[in-house]
Amino acid sequence: MIRLKLEFIIQARLTRARKQRRKMEDDFVFHGHSFEGKPRPLFVTLSVPGGGLGNYMFMVATLVGVARKNNRIPILMYPDHRANYFEGLALEVTAETNLYPNRNLTDDDLMFEAACSWYLNDTANLSTTKFANRTVALRGYLQSFMYFDEFREEIRTMFTFKEHTLNAAKDAILQGIQGLDNTSTALHNQTKVPTLVGIHVRRGDILHDPHKAHGQTPATEQYLLRTALRYQRKYAPVLFIVISNDIAYCREVFVDDHFVFISGTPLEVDMAIMTLMDQMIMSVGTYSFWGAYLNGQATDISYFRDWPRPGSDLARITNKSEYFLPSWHGRI
């Protein structure tokens, strides 16, 4: 039953994503056409490529959201291999010299964010800014859902993973479940298919300086166990699917017979797994954000409320009300 449910979700998403890709190609991709002798369209672009996968996705989602709000064409000045992860994403990539002919990009071409997780209101109506009649290059991390959430279904569909990635995610889930001890109570309930609850645990670099000094902090063991217990009681029978960059730590924290530990899979497969869950427990970071945001069926999403560390530099530049969706639940 779990296999059939996952296969149904995957096929439905791929069907929507392929339709979405065709629409993006029609709306945004030029296929070699020149603007010579034609009115030049107004563009929105990004001044620099993103960092990690979650950062990259925030920037691209914001690019598309700002373009949609302003009836402009989103365009990239840098190719990025991560665009190939997604079935529904189609954006034109061009050289900087095509957007800014006969000169270099300058600060006057840039629209700067105030802070990494604060929404910049001017992006909602570029016609009231100095960029009313020219290309604007967005500069910053752009990590607020408010840039793009009014186009939520388009963004989710755009970031649908490729078929081979979704199938790898499905296989990892099923193999993990098969590897459970046959005494697992969640697998022996014959009247109800187990609820799949994803748990993402970010650790690694955020445990150390300079990230730690800046204000990064991992979700606590108390938060992880308390939140997992809440879901276990509410959605029984439950199977927890654990994704982490520190699986050894997770095996020490989660010791019951209903935890499946995913290891040895690429980062895009791990995120795809999160998007297939029935419910989701986040930890911290943009990667965790997107694993939850792209999950179209989860109705109960939790995040670690004490990130960033209170009083830190990161806390001062993070507006949590513009970063976490209002429907998500902050817990400690």
Side-chain angles (χ1 to χ4, degrees):
M1 290 298 292
I2 293 175
R3 177 186 293 274
L4 291 175
K5 180 173 72 173
L6 294 175
E7 289 176 348
F8 177 82
I9 293 172
I10 288 170
Q11 289 307 311
R13 286 189 186 174
L14 288 170
T15 298
R16 291 194 299 269
R18 287 162 184 157
K19 182 178 179 181
Q20 169 72 22
R21 185 180 186 89
R22 290 192 294 269
K23 178 172 174 51
M24 291 193 77
E25 288 175 341
D26 290 342
D27 290 349
F28 301 144
V29 179
F30 311 134
H31 302 291
H33 297 311
S34 170
F35 298 119
E36 188 174 348
K38 302 176 183 177
R40 187 176 178 86
L42 292 174
F43 297 105
V44 182
T45 189
L46 300 171
S47 65
V48 292
L53 179 58
N55 292 339
Y56 166 79
M57 293 172 71
F58 260 113
M59 291 181 184
V60 172
T62 294
L63 176 68
V64 173
V66 171
R68 287 294 191 201
K69 289 179 183 180
N70 291 275
N71 194 28
R72 293 196 177 202
I73 294 177
I75 195 166
L76 297 169
M77 294 188 290
Y78 306 93
D80 194 302
H81 72 279
R82 291 168 296 191
N84 296 320
Y85 291 166
F86 305 109
E87 185 66 39
L89 177 61
L91 292 175
E92 183 84 7
V93 180
T94 192
E96 180 181 318
T97 53
N98 289 333
L99 292 182
Y100 301 96
N102 305 316
R103 67 181 182 86
N104 295 323
L105 183 73
T106 69
D107 282 355
D108 188 56
D109 300 307
L110 305 178
M111 178 173 278
F112 293 88
E113 64 180 2
C116 68
S117 299
W118 289 74
Y119 176 64
L120 184 60
N121 288 304
D122 283 350
T123 60
N125 188 0
L126 294 173
S127 65
T128 64
T129 73
K130 67 180 183 180
F131 301 103
N133 297 303
R134 60 188 177 102
T135 293
V136 57
L138 304 176
R139 180 67 175 265
Y141 289 100
L142 308 169
Q143 292 172 6
S144 169
F145 69 85
M146 294 177 66
Y147 288 114
F148 52 80
D149 194 52
E150 66 184 88
F151 311 103
R152 182 182 301 185
E153 289 312 309
E154 178 177 0
I155 299 301
R156 281 177 171 170
T157 305
M158 178 180 81
F159 284 139
T160 298
F161 286 99
K162 291 289 183 73
E163 184 171 11
H164 65 86
T165 300
L166 288 168
N167 284 334
K170 176 196 67 178
D171 291 344
I173 294 167
L174 296 175
Q175 289 169 12
I177 292 172
Q178 290 174 358
L180 286 177
D181 189 290
N182 60 15
T183 61
S184 173
T185 54
L187 292 177
H188 286 268
N189 185 308
Q190 300 299 315
T191 61
K192 187 176 181 181
V193 177
T195 301
L196 300 181
V197 176
I199 302 180
H200 177 243
V201 182
R202 165 82 182 275
R203 289 177 63 78
D205 59 347
I206 64 172
L207 301 177
H208 311 288
D209 290 337
H211 306 286
K212 180 179 179 181
H214 186 50
Q216 291 283 6
T217 184
T220 63
E221 184 175 325
Q222 180 186 47
Y223 159 78
L224 294 170
L225 290 173
R226 181 183 291 170
T227 309
L229 181 60
R230 177 186 176 277
Y231 281 70
Q232 185 177 356
R233 289 172 173 170
K234 186 174 182 179
Y235 299 108
V238 168
L239 284 176
F240 292 101
I241 311 297
V242 183
I243 300 101
S244 178
N245 59 353
D246 192 347
I247 286 294
Y249 167 83
C250 294
R251 291 184 183 277
E252 293 178 359
V253 173
F254 305 117
V255 296
D256 291 341
D257 63 2
H258 42 268
F259 289 90
V260 174
F261 301 95
I262 304 295
S263 61
T265 45
L267 79 170
E268 68 271 21
V269 173
D270 283 350
M271 187 182 287
I273 290 171
M274 289 190 271
T275 73
L276 295 172
M277 298 293 97
D278 297 314
Q279 309 296 349
M280 190 67 208
I281 299 173
M282 301 166 57
S283 57
V284 302
T286 57
Y287 185 86
S288 205
F289 174 98
W290 284 104
Y293 189 86
L294 298 182
N295 188 314
Q297 64 273 359
T299 57
D300 192 350
I301 295 174
S302 296
Y303 64 88
F304 180 53
R305 195 172 68 205
D306 280 354
W307 173 93
R309 189 180 72 251
S312 66
D313 289 342
L314 183 58
R316 283 188 284 274
I317 63 173
T318 300
N319 185 344
K320 293 197 283 188
S321 68
E322 296 180 356
Y323 178 80
F324 296 109
L325 267 65
S327 59
W328 294 356
H329 307 287
R331 306 186 192 280
I332 55 174

